[in-house]
């Protein structure tokens, strides 16, 4: 399995609080991604990174920010969590030529 | 704008039958079309992929058929087994683009009855 670790794996948080999810890779891949998965919507790209300090928005980026200060770490921050951000979040990595590898996911519940 | 449309949303097949999932894309710059398989509680994992220079790719019981002129591709699972029960996602990307990212279909929940 590709070396991807997401933390935490589960989190319950209150509306209005900030939340940070972490993705750590040991593959030295250039590209890192954050997706959210919701029933009926499949996998939707939130933000992605194509290098250290190089990030761009995906299709559902509102309410989310990211940072990548090191090749191995990609952080996703919900600045003020809302109930609509209750979801399963997946980190993925890629070398940029073919396969993307996914982490195990983080189940986030905003109450 | 949904760039990759996947159907059906769910599929029930008897053991030994053929499962067929279809996808259509809009962006003619796409040149890499993978299929991902996801089991409950797990992240998606690459199952099989195709590039548009071939019309078909087979790996074991799994086959991708690709129709470039129609901008469609499909996954066929022959001799479907209960262990194949999972959610399947098609995806597409422009692998030569400056920012490599996959666009996914909405997924198909496959149930194979014993």
């Amino acid at each position: 399995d590709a070396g991807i670790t997401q933390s935490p794996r589960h989190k319950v948080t209150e509306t209005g609080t900030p939340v940070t999810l972490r993705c750590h890779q040991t593959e030295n891949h250039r590209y890192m991604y954050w997706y959210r998965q919701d029933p009926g919507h499949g996998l939707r790209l939130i933000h992605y990174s194509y290098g250290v300090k190089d990030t761009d928005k995906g299709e559902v980026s509102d309410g989310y920010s990211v940072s990548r200060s090191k090749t191995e770490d990609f952080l996703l921050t919900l600045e003020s969590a809302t109930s609509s951000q209750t979801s399963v979040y997946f980190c993925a990595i890629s070398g940029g030529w073919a396969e993307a590898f996914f982490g195990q996911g983080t189940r986030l519940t905003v109450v | 704008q949904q760039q990759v449309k996947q159907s059906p949303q769910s599929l029930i097949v008897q053991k030994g039958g053929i499962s067929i999932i279809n996808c259509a894309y809009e962006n003619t710059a796409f040149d890499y079309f993978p299929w991902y398989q996801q089991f409950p509680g797990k992240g998606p994992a690459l199952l099989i992929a195709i590039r548009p220079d071939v019309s078909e790719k087979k790996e074991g019981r799994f086959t991708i058929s690709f129709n470039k002129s129609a901008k469609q591709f499909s996954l066929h699972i022959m001799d479907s087994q209960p262990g194949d029960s999972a959610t399947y996602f098609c995806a597409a990307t422009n692998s030569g683009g400056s920012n490599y990212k996959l666009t996914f279909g909405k997924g198909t929940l496959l149930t194979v009855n014993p």
Side-chain angles (χ1 to χ4, degrees), chain A residues 9 30-31 33 35 37 40-43 45 48 50 56-58 90 94 96-104, chain B residues 1 9 32 36 38 41-46 51 87 89 93 95 97-107:
Chain A
R9 292 294 313 281
R30 176 184 178 188
Y31 294 92
Y33 312 85
Y35 288 89
Q37 184 174 21
H41 291 277
L43 292 156
L45 183 64
Y48 66 102
Y50 46 97
D56 204 352
K57 296 179 179 180
F90 285 100
S94 174
W97 53 86
E99 182 174 1
F101 299 92
F102 283 80
Q104 293 283 67
Chain B
Q1 178 187 8
Q9 191 171 2
Y32 176 68
Y36 282 79
Q38 184 183 30
K42 303 293 185 181
L46 180 68
R51 294 193 181 273
T87 300
F89 294 95
T93 190
S95 64
S98 57
N99 292 323
Y100 179 83
K101 54 182 178 177
L102 288 166
T103 299
F104 285 88
K106 291 189 175 183

Side-chain angles (χ1 to χ4, degrees), chain A residues 34-83:
Chain A
W34 279 107
Y35 288 89
R36 61 177 289 174
Q37 184 174 21
D38 305 288
H41 291 277
L43 292 156
R44 293 182 292 174
L45 183 64
I46 305 171
H47 281 280
Y48 66 102
S49 169
Y50 46 97
V52 174
K53 292 185 169 48
D54 292 323
T55 65
D56 204 352
K57 296 179 179 180
E59 61 182 298
V60 289
S61 60
D62 288 349
Y64 301 94
S65 63
V66 291
S67 66
R68 191 173 179 195
S69 59
K70 298 184 292 184
T71 298
E72 57 266 34
D73 290 325
F74 193 33
L75 304 180
L76 176 71
T77 298
L78 288 65
E79 294 139 8
S80 178
T82 68
S83 59

Side-chain angles (χ1 to χ4, degrees), chain A residues 1 4-5 17 29 35 51 59 63 74 84 86 88 92 107 110-111:
Chain A
D1 291 345
I4 309 172
T5 304
T17 62
H29 280 340
Y35 288 89
E59 61 182 298
F74 193 33
S84 65
T86 292
V88 179
R107 184 173 296 276
V110 183
V111 298

